[in-house]
Amino acid sequence: MATLQTMRLLPVLIACYLCGCAPKQDAPKSCVLITLDTTNPDALDVYGDKRGLTPNLNRLASEGIVFEDARAVAPITIASHASMLTGLYPPRHGVRDNGYMSLPSSAETLAERAKDAGCRTGAFVAAGVLRELYGLNQGFDVYGESPAVSAHRGGVGDRIGTEVSAEAIEWLNGRDGEEPFFLWVHYFDPHAPYEAPAEFLKRAEGKPYLGEVAAMDAAIGPLLDRLRVEPDYEDFCVIVVADHGESGGKHGEASHGLFCYDATLKVPLIVRLPGRARARERSTERVSIVDVFPTALEAMGLSVPESDGLSLVAGDIAANRGVYFESYYGYLNYGWGHLAGWVGPGGKKYIHGPTPELYDTGLDPEETSDLLVRNPFGKYKDSDGSLREGGVVSAAREAMMRIAQAPALERTSTEEGAVSQEGMRGMGYAGSASVSVALPEPASPSTLPAPAENLDEHYAVWSALAQSDRGKVDLAIAGLQQVVAKNPRHSFAHSLLGEMLLEVKKPRKAIAVLSAMIELELDRPGLRRNLALAHAMLGEYKLALEHARAFEEFCPGDPQAAEFRRNIEKRQAELKSQRQGGN
Ligand SMILES: [Zn+2]
């Protein structure tokens, strides 16, 4: 149907047809999203580091807005990236943990919207947790991904920034230069283990994490240089943001994922708008990575649907804006209480969990002074020492409940049970849970163990992993046995213990440990797989096959799970024919 708009455009279209050029009026502007895994704001020069490790990001920042109060939605890679690409908080997109939860196909992603508007779309990611089977590939013409696992045990399924940049540049070079595009490039260098090349380690004064940040910046440089030679570069929107930070020992957390303190939730966010609008501005607006979605769409000149995010283009974020965050990592993998929360007016930050906390992040950015007096009336001691009613807390809880009650993305029945475990242990993520577990709502009360009070379990499990990597499996088993004795709902410790007992050829003991979890209704795909292996080891193929089938049911359509089951069937048939041959 010829709309009024196309009628008005007709003379332009005809003129363009005659001169052979494409009509540019309606073409979206290109957009580049650069995500920095595990990057603290203060690791970058532009946020205060004095070592000069990030000259390339500095230069970009000089063309755009630097946001000083930006937060991730979760200290979890896939949850944060799913929020950037959908504009939805995790309870709504449903991707709460790495390695077994995928973005439903009902999501309308940034890439899908860009592609529908005529953009070429390309993504190049650097970590196994973002592989295309987890659904973030929706809308991308090309999705360059990382290997699932590294070659060595305990290693990370990732690739270095120079490799990712090279792929992205090759894609840029190969496309039709006239076409607008949406490009997402993900860098994983600063993620543990820190293995910075010597030259960057030296520049970072021997600090391994900062050395990785410097290496990442150096890898980003050639990509930014390549973008700058695009004829339309001045019209580009470039967004640089981290998915979460790294705690580095703050609050007793070495890495990220367990807690919801700003040590891991605060992220760098740099937005370079078309025409370098608002260049060199430093914004103190309270923003979230969920804002990436509407910001990118508006900057590209596309329509902006309702989402949990706000567009940052105009700089009109209200002072009373609040942002949501969560971590269900401990709940899903360790049997701990979930954490969720809200940062609202005045920077008051409420962390809901088994032991609720309240901080004034303006006065106490390190979150060392919990304002909440733990009483049923929710009174808390404010920074000035006075006792106040807990209006902040109830407002935060109400805001969290609104998010929980907002419509979530629908899943097909296949997506409902989809689980994948590949590469999880090597990633440093437990990933032994199932998406079919009903999750508590963010503001719901929790009587489960508090993460902060049970850190010893976390470190016992990771030291067991390190011991097994060094070949000291017996020591690792002893450590894990202590953890499961203390916390019978620790699914990750049970899973690892069962696996190691199999390794030392103790299938009966492995079966006892793993079956206990199923009796506790903590059925997990990894448990089923290991139970199948244990029974197979004992020649009990009928039982092995039952568990292999249960494992496959957790992972519908996963070729590895199907192959696993077929191998068990094959062994069963071989054994049968051997027995018959023997008769
Ligand atoms: Zn991450």
Side-chain angles (χ1 to χ4, degrees), residues 155 184 231 338 387 473 500 553 573:
W184 167 33
H338 68 281
L387 206 63
V473 181
M500 288 183 197
E553 273 173 35

Side-chain angles (χ1 to χ4, degrees), residues 37-38 75-78 81 129 186 188 191 243-244 256 429:
D37 215 290
T38 322
I76 310 282
T77 304
I78 193 164
H81 281 94
V129 291
H186 165 248
F188 199 66
H191 196 283
D243 61 342
H244 52 77
H256 57 270
Y429 299 111

Side-chain angles (χ1 to χ4, degrees), residues 153-154 421-426 429-432 464-465 468-469 473-474 476-477 480 484 491-507 509-515 517 525-534 537 551:
R153 183 172 177 160
Q421 291 223 99
E422 56 179 331
M424 294 318 303
R425 269 186 44 191
Y429 299 111
S432 56
L465 259 181
S468 84
D469 282 343
V473 181
D474 287 340
I477 287 173
L480 290 171
V484 301
S491 58
F492 185 42
H494 274 86
S495 221
L496 279 179
L497 180 57
E499 196 174 302
M500 288 183 197
L501 286 167
L502 278 179
E503 248 180 70
V504 297
K505 306 278 186 293
K506 291 182 177 168
K509 285 193 170 173
I511 289 168
V513 166
L514 300 171
S515 303
M517 292 301 286
L527 298 182
R528 292 292 189 165
R529 187 178 182 279
N530 285 333
L531 274 168
L533 287 172
M537 209 179 268
F551 171 54

